[in-house]
Amino acid sequence: MLGILAGCPAWGAATATNLLSPKAGIFSMSLIPQFVPHGAPVFRTTLLLTAVDVLELALWYWIVTTTAAALGERVRRPSFRRRMEQVSGVAFLGFAANLLLAERA
């Protein structure tokens, strides 16, 4: 899977951004220790919490990308674009009517 993603310019840009941004590491270093129970082995507990965080993020990003791909296919359909133009036209007519009636009041 990484071989497929490595050829994608967006993958490289996202990876470089995450590795060069210290915010994620600082956030994790300040947040995760708060959840280590008193008396628990710090290193193992921190690794466990980090693994849970990574799995959660991977699941979340998988859900977002899958949904975006499905919606992207729907948005590219000519019927969807035509319907969106109709909805936008009705909305603009509503705004114009509101402006017209607001000036008279």
Side-chain angles (χ1 to χ4, degrees), residues 1-91:
M1 182 171 146
L2 287 177
I4 295 169
L5 295 174
C8 180
W11 171 261
T15 302
T17 300
N18 283 330
L19 291 176
L20 294 175
S21 173
K23 290 183 279 188
I26 291 171
F27 179 75
S28 294
M29 288 174 50
S30 64
L31 183 70
I32 288 180
Q34 298 176 25
F35 297 101
V36 176
H38 182 69
V42 176
F43 185 72
R44 278 191 276 158
T45 307
T46 303
L47 281 180
L48 175 66
L49 291 173
T50 303
V52 168
D53 185 40
V54 168
L55 288 173
E56 233 175 27
L57 285 173
L59 176 65
W60 172 249
Y61 288 142
W62 178 77
I63 290 170
V64 168
T65 54
T66 303
T67 305
L71 289 176
E73 291 174 9
R74 181 172 286 178
V75 168
R76 287 186 204 98
R77 294 181 189 163
S79 61
F80 181 84
R81 294 178 71 150
R82 187 171 44 255
R83 181 66 61 194
M84 288 306 298
E85 287 178 7
Q86 292 170 349
V87 169
S88 299
V90 169

